[in-house]
Amino acid sequence: MSLQVGDKAPDFTLPDQSGTPVTLSAKLAEKVVVLYFYPKDNTRGCTAEACSFRDSYESFTDAGAEVIGVSSDSVESHEKFAGRHDLPFVLLSDKARTVRKQYGATTLGVVPGRITFVIDRDGVIRHAFSAMGSIGAHVDDALAVVKQLTA
């Protein structure tokens, strides 16, 4: 993971599951952002993680945060994945893996990693957690940091 707590989060624009461009800085103008990178739609671990964020989504929004998932899957794949699992948050398609590379969201430098960042409204990374397992920790730790930032 190349970005660390205290670093400025690189801005970007990627299409969401409906093809609409989403820009990080525009989201940060409104809320704290929980940006999580995951390897692939419809795999066991990624589905568990997405559903965990879904199940805690109201807690995130009540605390003043927006959840955004990013993988290299297509817009169409994200649309099906979000629909199949009733995901209420944005999934962004990073087909070229440009944003993943900017954030250093890989394991062993090559494999798409499972990394969660909490970014404050000033665009500063306040939490970074990387683990292929420990799915629940990504959600629990991120929510705890969001609550501290917005208290």
Side-chain angles (χ1 to χ4, degrees), residues 26-37:
K27 292 292 186 182
L28 290 171
E30 302 168 4
K31 297 181 174 189
V32 168
V33 170
V34 176
L35 183 69
Y36 83 96
F37 290 86

Side-chain angles (χ1 to χ4, degrees), residues 35-118:
L35 183 69
Y36 83 96
F37 290 86
Y38 65 100
K40 187 151 182 62
D41 291 344
N42 297 306
T43 58
R44 188 172 48 102
C46 296
T47 299
E49 181 177 30
C51 290
S52 206
F53 273 113
R54 175 201 64 206
D55 295 346
S56 297
Y57 184 71
E58 191 173 318
S59 296
F60 280 103
T61 58
D62 287 350
E66 177 77 25
V67 175
I68 300 174
V70 181
S71 82
S72 59
D73 291 300
S74 68
V75 167
E76 296 79 16
S77 177
H78 282 340
E79 183 179 37
K80 291 175 186 170
F81 184 54
R84 182 176 297 127
H85 299 289
D86 297 316
L87 304 180
F89 50 85
V90 171
L91 297 177
L92 300 179
S93 176
D94 183 22
K95 294 271 304 169
R97 298 183 180 188
T98 306
V99 175
R100 180 178 288 281
K101 288 174 188 163
Q102 285 180 304
Y103 280 75
T106 59
T107 302
L108 303 173
V110 200
V111 180
R114 185 179 318 283
I115 300 175
T116 301
F117 295 95
V118 176

Side-chain angles (χ1 to χ4, degrees), residues 116-132:
T116 301
F117 295 95
V118 176
I119 306 166
D120 71 16
R121 294 191 59 200
D122 294 322
V124 176
I125 296 171
R126 296 298 177 192
H127 175 74
F129 182 77
S130 175
M132 288 305 280

